[in-house]
Amino acid sequence: MRRYYFSSFSILLWLSIALSGCSYDPVPINYGKDVCDNCRMQIEDRGYGAEIVSPKGKIYRFDSGECLLQFLPGQPFPADQARHLLMTDRSAPGNLIDARSAYYLISQQLPSPMGAGLSAFRSQDSLRAFHSRYDGEMLDWKELYLRFTKR
């Protein structure tokens, strides 16, 4: 019968290899290829999109902020425990920003992929610039979250 002996070094080496794939960092949305984890539509519009990194590091991608907000209540973790909640900055298409510190505009003049007219902005200045061109309601994360999760 063969006996296998493992040194501390080999155990540490295998552990580091196994754990090296674990990351809690967000990954950019691959527009035109990624599929929404809520509605299963292909994510196409670079002005929209969202992403969640769960407490365990699982990444969920969405074609719109509405899908992210509809997806959250059914998860085994509260929204405030997600490692990252991200939305695409409407004023800088393709760039993900922290959803909890973003500013929002709901405007039917800016139709989003799921039809709610929800756009996210990194700064209040960007939000105001869009609001001056497009009629709508301005919200912060708490107001937005309550509106979409109380349905």
Side-chain angles (χ1 to χ4, degrees):
M1 183 160 102
R2 254 188 199 178
R3 288 186 181 214
Y4 294 96
Y5 295 97
F6 296 100
S7 69
S8 297
F9 174 76
S10 63
I11 292 171
L12 287 174
L13 177 65
W14 280 107
L15 276 174
S16 67
I17 291 170
L19 295 175
S20 67
C22 298
S23 173
Y24 298 116
D25 295 333
V27 176
I29 295 171
N30 190 355
Y31 290 92
K33 297 213 186 300
D34 285 340
V35 174
C36 179
D37 283 302
N38 186 57
C39 71
R40 311 313 286 162
M41 285 177 48
Q42 192 168 5
I43 305 171
E44 298 279 345
D45 191 336
R46 294 179 61 78
Y48 299 96
E51 186 171 295
I52 297 172
V53 180
S54 77
K56 293 183 179 181
K58 181 163 176 47
I59 295 175
Y60 300 94
R61 292 184 186 90
F62 306 94
D63 67 337
S64 67
E66 301 99 283
C67 279
L68 177 146
L69 288 158
Q70 291 169 357
F71 184 82
L72 276 172
Q75 297 314 301
F77 57 88
D80 62 348
Q81 289 182 8
R83 293 214 180 245
H84 297 280
L85 283 177
L86 304 162
M87 299 262 194
T88 299
D89 184 352
R90 185 70 174 94
S91 61
N95 292 325
L96 292 170
I97 57 174
D98 184 338
R100 292 171 256 211
S101 63
Y103 303 92
Y104 299 93
L105 176 65
I106 296 178
S107 173
Q108 295 311 309
Q109 296 171 347
L110 284 169
S112 57
M114 295 308 288
L118 174 62
S119 297
F121 300 91
R122 177 181 304 278
S123 70
Q124 285 185 326
D125 290 340
S126 295
L127 170 65
R128 286 187 191 111
F130 269 76
H131 189 250
S132 70
R133 291 183 301 213
Y134 305 100
D135 202 19
E137 183 178 2
M138 296 186 290
L139 305 162
D140 64 17
W141 170 252
K142 287 181 184 176
E143 294 166 325
L144 182 72
Y145 183 78
L146 287 173
R147 176 175 294 185
F148 276 83
T149 58
K150 292 265 183 178
R151 292 181 179 185

